[in-house]
Every structure is written in structure tokens, then in C-alpha cells.
Amino acid sequence: MDRIEVPRGDYQEDFVLWLERQAELLRAGKFELLDVDHLIDELEGAVRADRRELEGYLENITAYLLSLQYRPRYKPRHWRIKLGNARFGMGLLIDDSPSLVFDIAELAALNYDDARRRAAWETRLPESIFPAALPYSAAELLDDDFDPSYPPDEGS
């Protein structure tokens, strides 16, 4: 039986090599040789990274929705393009990890203050104009057709 050797310190010295070795060990069923502590750290880190990425998309989406709603005739095409890009990116992330959809409402609410500040900066409106709490549901944040600008901005 072939013995797979994992160099000591490999995790710190060459992360990609370490990942390849861990995958090789898993495929070979050599669980006793796995670097379990670092694997746990990396798996938890991957979850945190996906949630941070979702938070970024939600902040962008919320800021653009606020901008469209409270200043619908000021750069509407620009905001709609950016809104579409953010929703597309979020959709790809959710396609890869569908369970993230259950975090949308909570993460959007947690990041609302940042989105509100950004919308105020982008629209050049006072922050107090925007609602104190997130005015959009998770369904609206996900809905590619949801645009709160009123009246609708035809032609933009």
C-alpha cells in the first residue's frame, strides 16, 4: 500500500499544495493523516467568506434600490445596471449555496445602515430621508423585476 506523506508545516508554506494533499488523503481514505484542525478552520472560513460576499451583494442591492426609490430620475440607468449586476452575482452565489437564501433577511437588516449611508452619499440626499429600518423584504431583494422607483422611469 502506498504511503502518502504530508510535509510538516505545509499549510503555512504552500496553501495550494496543502489543499491538494488534503484532497488526496480524503480520496485515499487516509483520514488519520488529515490536518483536521486546519481543515475545520478552512471550512468555517469558506462559510464566513460566502456570507461576507452575500452581505456585500445585499448592501449594494439595498443601496441601489434606495437610490432608485428616493431619487428615481437621478442616474436611474446607472443604478439599474449596477442593481442588475449585483443581483446577478448574488444569484450565482445562491446557485452554488442555496442555503444562503435563508440568511438574506437577517444579513440585509444587519447591513442596512451601511447601505443607507451609501445611498445618501450616492444620491446626495440627507441620510434622514431614508427609512430607519430596511424597507424591503428578502423576496424583493431577490426579485430581478422589483424596482421601487415611482413613478416608473420609462426609457432609462
Side-chain angles (χ1 to χ4, degrees):
M1 183 182 256
D2 294 342
R3 179 166 167 85
I4 300 171
E5 303 232 14
V6 179
R8 292 249 185 249
D10 197 279
Y11 176 81
Q12 298 296 327
E13 294 168 18
D14 189 330
F15 184 67
V16 170
L17 179 60
W18 176 83
L19 284 172
E20 289 172 344
R21 298 272 192 219
Q22 297 307 299
E24 193 177 317
L25 290 168
L26 283 167
R27 273 193 284 289
K30 305 227 181 228
F31 306 120
E32 71 281 358
L33 297 175
L34 290 170
D35 183 354
V36 175
D37 291 337
H38 284 126
L39 278 171
I40 291 168
D41 289 345
E42 291 306 319
L43 290 171
E44 290 173 342
V47 171
R48 283 191 305 275
D50 280 358
R51 285 207 173 102
R52 275 194 304 274
E53 186 176 356
L54 179 60
E55 287 180 82
Y57 286 127
L58 289 168
E59 181 185 326
N60 288 336
I61 290 166
T62 303
Y64 298 133
L65 289 174
L66 288 169
S67 298
L68 283 165
Q69 184 172 358
Y70 288 88
R71 196 97 189 247
R73 300 217 182 275
Y74 180 75
K75 296 185 180 179
R77 188 173 181 333
H78 168 78
W79 287 328
R80 285 193 181 106
I81 289 169
K82 289 189 170 238
L83 175 61
N85 289 339
R87 281 182 168 150
F88 180 77
M90 184 172 70
L92 291 176
L93 180 64
I94 290 171
D95 286 347
D96 284 346
S97 301
S99 64
L100 286 173
V101 78
F102 301 112
D103 296 330
I104 288 176
E106 178 187 359
L107 293 177
L110 286 172
N111 289 282
Y112 178 67
D113 287 340
D114 292 334
R116 184 177 176 223
R117 273 190 291 284
R118 194 151 132 233
W121 179 82
E122 288 190 9
T123 60
R124 297 186 178 112
L125 292 170
E127 201 173 313
S128 60
I129 294 284
F130 302 102
L134 178 68
Y136 312 117
S137 68
E140 289 169 331
L141 294 169
L142 282 165
D143 183 354
D144 288 337
D145 296 323
F146 176 69
D147 179 344
S149 60
Y150 186 79
D153 212 26
E154 281 99 37
S156 295

